[in-house]
Amino acid sequence: MKLLVTGGAGFIGSAFVRMACTRGFEIINLDKLTYAGNLENLELVAGSPGYRFVRGDICDAGLVERLLAEEQPAAVVHFAAESHVDRSILSPGAFIETNVRGTFTLLEAARKARIERFLHVSTDEVYGSVEPPHESTEDDALRPNSPYSASKASSDLLVRSYWVTYGLPAIVTRASNNYGPYQFPEKLIPLMVLNALEGKELPVYGDGRQVRDWLYVEDHCRALLAVLERGRPGEVYNVGGNESLENIEVVRRVLAETGGNDAQIRHVTDRPGHDRRYSLSSEKIFHETGWRPEVSFSAGLPLTIDWYKRHPGWIERVRTREYQQYYEANYGGRGLKR
Ligand code: NAD
Ligand code: DAU
């Protein structure tokens, strides 16, 4: 089976490409290589027969149409996005452009090319903050609270409209917080791991009692393959890791695993509009595809920390000048010591 993967040089997309190549899928990877895209994430598959990389923007209608016509993939698996909430607060424009207009551009091209499957990779953040003990189900209302989650909810709704209006066989997945190797260090777990290992302060937003569900990235990719094979067009599937933790607990566990010290924790100004709790019911994907998460947080966290310890060169190369500027813009005003 041939897949057009968008955003396959990012964190989850590259894990998916590595897994899908191993399983014999042919892959065309379309990625713009923004700050978050990194071809080093794909070194393990770069020379594989049946793998092709194309540098380009999903907003480029001509390019996307040409690729679909040339390659005639059986399915599109759409990861490409601006993905970080903090960056969406600092500068939301790119989120609307890529996540909304880019998804629209892909949907139009997929409709014209009569694509057999369009898998749209979305997020639990579209449901907004949920009160305990509720677990979001796929039919819940969308109440996004950040420019990032609003852009993802908008793209989910565009996908839905292409199924209802044009019969494009599209499926939406909504996953919880992913973690694992190759995650860009702006995100909570790699940022805390690196700061802990380097003896720096660990910036916890607000009281740190916000709840997130943690999903090991390879479990997410297995879920996507299961949905691609056994999911029903027009449906939405939640993908949770069944590992709900307060952020402060995640940070303490990182410190315990890295030999750091709780005195490194620094409570800083909260994220504006910070959702208190996400929680997913994944009953639907369990029942319809048989998928289950296999890597517990207790197993996945040390695997992740070990990967970062073994890849100092990767870390050095992704912490570019642009990253330093982002770090200063996001944390400078929060009074964090460097
Ligand atoms: P990421 O930021 O690591 O990677 C995004 C990739 O998309 C990069 O390779 C980037 O170069 C590419 N890209 C960005 N704009 C593009 C454009 N206009 N055209 C082509 N390529 C472009 O993101 P991630 O964490 O791997 O997330 C992938 C997808 O999964 C996103 O859609 C995100 O919303 C969703 N998701 C992420 C998580 C998570 O915890 N990281 C959880 C649920 C859903
Ligand atoms: O829930 C799924 C979402 O998870 C995905 O849709 C996004 O693409 C992905 O980036 C992630 O969302 P965030 O962008 O919010 O992830 P982040 O790792 O930045 O934050 C996770 C939690 O940790 C959140 O409650 C904010 C908190 N946090 C984060 C950072 C970076 C801190 O307390 N301190 C920090 O320095």
Side-chain angles (χ1 to χ4, degrees), residues 1-9 16-17 20-21 25-31 42 50-55 63-64 66-77 79:
M1 194 182 189
K2 192 190 266 193
L3 308 177
L4 175 71
V5 172
T6 71
F16 180 85
V17 170
C21 279
F25 286 86
E26 277 182 68
I27 306 279
I28 306 112
N29 177 9
L30 172 62
D31 197 298
L42 293 157
Y51 172 76
R52 175 183 171 199
F53 177 73
V54 178
R55 185 171 191 178
L63 169 66
V64 174
R66 228 172 20 254
L67 266 181
L68 290 181
E70 253 171 51
E71 297 283 355
Q72 306 208 332
V76 173
V77 185
F79 295 94

Side-chain angles (χ1 to χ4, degrees), residues 9-303:
F11 164 50
I12 308 172
S14 67
F16 180 85
V17 170
R18 292 190 301 273
M19 185 179 284
C21 279
T22 312
R23 295 193 184 188
F25 286 86
E26 277 182 68
I27 306 279
I28 306 112
N29 177 9
L30 172 62
D31 197 298
K32 185 180 173 182
L33 297 182
T34 66
Y35 78 92
N38 185 350
L39 290 179
E40 282 188 47
N41 301 356
L42 293 157
E43 275 172 358
L44 294 174
V45 298
S48 308
Y51 172 76
R52 175 183 171 199
F53 177 73
V54 178
R55 185 171 191 178
D57 191 330
I58 57 165
C59 297
D60 181 343
L63 169 66
V64 174
E65 282 176 22
R66 228 172 20 254
L67 266 181
L68 290 181
E70 253 171 51
E71 297 283 355
Q72 306 208 332
V76 173
V77 185
H78 176 34
F79 295 94
E82 289 293 335
S83 68
H84 193 206
V85 171
D86 291 318
R87 287 190 190 247
S88 85
I89 294 167
L90 291 169
S91 44
F95 289 72
I96 306 307
E97 182 66 8
T98 286
N99 302 1
V100 184
R101 202 165 77 81
T103 301
F104 162 71
T105 305
L106 274 179
L107 286 166
E108 266 296 277
R111 171 173 82 87
K112 291 181 193 157
R114 298 178 185 279
I115 287 292
E116 290 162 30
R117 271 283 184 283
F118 188 101
L119 179 51
H120 176 63
V121 181
S122 190
T123 168
D124 60 0
E125 298 208 7
V126 298
Y127 298 118
S129 201
V130 293
E131 286 295 318
H134 184 68
E135 295 183 334
S136 302
T137 63
E138 290 81 354
D139 290 331
D140 282 1
L142 305 189
R143 295 192 178 89
N145 292 316
S146 69
Y148 163 70
S149 55
S151 70
K152 291 297 288 189
S154 306
S155 62
D156 287 18
L157 295 179
L158 278 170
V159 173
R160 175 189 155 89
S161 77
Y162 270 67
W163 160 247
V164 175
T165 304
Y166 303 113
L168 180 77
I171 301 179
V172 175
T173 53
R174 295 186 181 136
S176 58
N177 285 64
N178 283 223
Y179 70 104
Y182 299 96
Q183 187 167 30
F184 194 78
E186 65 191 354
K187 305 285 164 60
L188 179 75
I189 288 187
L191 187 133
M192 296 298 166
V193 168
L194 298 185
N195 283 16
L197 291 172
E198 292 165 3
K200 294 182 185 160
E201 290 187 334
L202 277 61
V204 172
Y205 296 160
D207 65 3
R209 306 282 314 269
Q210 305 84 3
V211 174
R212 297 292 183 269
D213 172 67
W214 292 95
L215 173 67
Y216 194 65
V217 65
E218 287 178 14
D219 276 335
H220 186 188
C221 295
R222 284 191 309 98
L224 296 173
L225 287 170
V227 166
L228 202 55
E229 283 162 18
R230 300 188 284 284
R232 289 179 295 136
E235 295 294 322
V236 177
Y237 296 90
N238 288 344
V239 187
N242 203 21
E243 292 278 8
S244 279
L245 291 166
E246 290 186 349
N247 290 340
I248 190 74
E249 173 63 14
V250 171
V251 171
R252 289 202 181 105
R253 286 173 71 168
V254 166
L255 284 165
E257 289 284 342
T258 51
N261 184 322
D262 278 12
Q264 288 173 255
I265 295 175
R266 171 86 172 234
H267 288 272
V268 298
T269 311
D270 208 350
R271 175 185 274 177
H274 201 172
D275 284 330
R276 199 69 184 161
R277 175 177 176 267
Y278 300 136
S279 180
L280 287 178
S281 164
S282 304
E283 288 303 313
K284 184 171 171 182
I285 189 173
F286 292 173
H287 288 305
E288 291 195 20
T289 72
W291 172 84
R292 289 274 189 294
E294 290 175 7
V295 182
S296 66
F297 193 72
S298 312
L301 184 62
L303 285 176

